[in-house]
């Protein structure tokens, strides 16, 4: 069983479209995250949720809207996609929020905006 | 500002040679420190972590890291590199609910 799974793995779309990436974890963790990895492989945290409550919201355009229906799921919706949104988006989870718990990552969703 | 720095963007070693990847941190207090590995097309996997106590930490896949407070470093080492170790390596620091990843070091392994 995959611990952190995200779908789709690949997403190719046109500028201006709206798309969603879904994430689910079966580890029983109470915290989930979205990270963005750009073409230079730099990792930046975008959002974190602890028990469905938004904890971290980094400087991310409001076109990005996370939604956590329950603590096992954290989805990312992106409106009006731009070329600069092309990246790999990683979902992660941990027990506790950014403390001693390691992060468990999904395999990533590669978004390409044309 | 809290930060983690990986000075080496790219390192190439021969298979069987030893490896050291550098990580320096800048925090007001000693952070929790982690090393992750990312194989091509994969997510990140934890290699090892340091919270407190013994400054030499053992991890998976034969990796170890040493915390040196005097040098604000947490360098990753492996005595003998295997071709399968070729990957991207990230150091992460966490303190007071804030987390920072270094920019990563790409490891290439020559036959």
């Amino acid at each position: 069983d995959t611990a952190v799974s995200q779908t789709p793995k690949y997403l190719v779309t046109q500028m201006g479209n709206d798309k969603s990436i879904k994430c689910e974890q079966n580890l029983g963790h109470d915290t989930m995250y979205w990270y963005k990895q750009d073409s230079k492989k730099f990792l930046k945290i975008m959002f974190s949720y602890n028990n469905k409550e938004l904890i971290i919201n980094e400087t991310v355009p409001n076109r990005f809207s996370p939604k956590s229906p329950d603590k096992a799921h954290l989805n990312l919706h992106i409106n009006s996609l731009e070329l600069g949104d092309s990246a790999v988006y990683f979902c992660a989870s941990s027990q506790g929020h950014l403390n001693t718990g390691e992060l468990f990552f999904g395999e990533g969703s590669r978004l390409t905006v044309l | 500002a809290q930060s983690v720095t990986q000075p080496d963007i790219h390192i190439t070693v021969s298979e069987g040679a030893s490896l050291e990847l550098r990580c320096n941190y800048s925090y007001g207090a000693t952070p929790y420190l982690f090393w992750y590995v990312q194989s091509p097309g994969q997510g990140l996997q934890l290699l090892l972590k340091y919270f407190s106590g013994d400054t030499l930490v053992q991890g998976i896949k034969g990796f170890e890291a040493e915390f040196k407070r005097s040098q604000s470093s947490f360098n990753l080492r492996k005595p003998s590199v295997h071709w399968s170790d070729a990957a991207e390596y990230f150091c992460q620091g966490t303190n007071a609910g804030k987390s920072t990843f270094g920019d990563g070091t790409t490891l290439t392994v020559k036959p």
Side-chain angles (χ1 to χ4, degrees):
Chain A
D1 251 357
T2 304
V4 180
S5 59
Q6 45 183 119
T7 55
K9 190 165 185 176
Y10 299 97
L11 193 51
V12 180
T13 189
Q14 300 285 333
M15 280 176 55
N17 284 349
D18 304 337
K19 290 294 177 186
S20 292
I21 307 172
K22 295 186 176 182
C23 180
E24 175 181 4
Q25 56 96 2
N26 62 6
L27 298 167
H29 290 164
D30 54 15
T31 308
M32 296 184 72
Y33 312 80
W34 279 110
Y35 281 85
K36 179 179 180 180
Q37 186 174 47
D38 63 21
S39 57
K40 293 184 178 179
K41 297 193 177 178
F42 298 156
L43 270 168
K44 299 294 181 192
I45 191 167
M46 300 173 69
F47 303 102
S48 73
Y49 271 74
N50 182 263
N51 279 318
K52 304 193 297 175
E53 180 183 348
L54 181 65
I55 303 296
I56 289 178
N57 182 355
E58 290 295 314
T59 310
V60 175
N62 58 15
R63 298 181 295 102
F64 290 78
S65 53
K67 283 189 173 53
S68 182
D70 56 62
K71 73 174 193 177
H73 296 83
L74 180 61
N75 303 323
L76 183 65
H77 187 76
I78 316 170
N79 289 327
S80 303
L81 280 157
E82 300 177 356
L83 292 177
D85 297 333
S86 295
V88 182
Y89 293 85
F90 285 100
C91 178
S93 72
S94 68
Q95 188 57 40
H97 184 258
L98 291 178
N99 46 24
T100 60
E102 70 176 275
L103 293 168
F104 288 79
F105 284 84
E107 292 191 340
S109 296
R110 181 176 294 277
L111 172 65
T112 303
V113 182
L114 303 175
Chain B
Q2 301 176 352
S3 72
V4 168
T5 305
Q6 294 179 243
D8 305 304
I9 297 173
H10 196 167
I11 282 187
T12 299
V13 299
S14 297
E15 191 167 14
S18 64
L19 170 70
E20 182 168 35
L21 302 181
R22 296 185 290 163
C23 174
N24 296 106
Y25 65 89
S26 174
Y27 285 83
T30 300
Y32 299 123
L33 293 162
F34 306 79
W35 273 101
Y36 289 83
V37 60
Q38 183 182 23
S39 298
Q42 301 294 314
L44 281 70
Q45 179 187 20
L46 180 74
L47 287 174
L48 45 78
K49 57 190 176 186
Y50 173 77
F51 299 151
S52 63
D54 193 346
T55 56
L56 186 61
V57 179
Q58 300 298 320
I60 63 171
K61 306 186 181 189
F63 285 92
E64 66 177 27
E66 186 170 12
F67 172 74
K68 292 186 177 180
R69 185 188 306 276
S70 61
Q71 298 178 18
S72 296
S73 69
F74 186 57
N75 295 347
L76 182 71
R77 301 195 295 245
K78 186 169 185 178
S80 177
V81 168
H82 187 262
W83 63 266
S84 60
D85 293 324
E88 192 78 18
Y89 291 81
F90 292 93
C91 183
Q92 181 204 15
T94 299
N95 181 258
K98 297 283 186 183
S99 168
T100 307
F101 276 92
D103 289 342
T105 298
T106 302
L107 175 65
T108 298
V109 180
K110 293 190 303 185

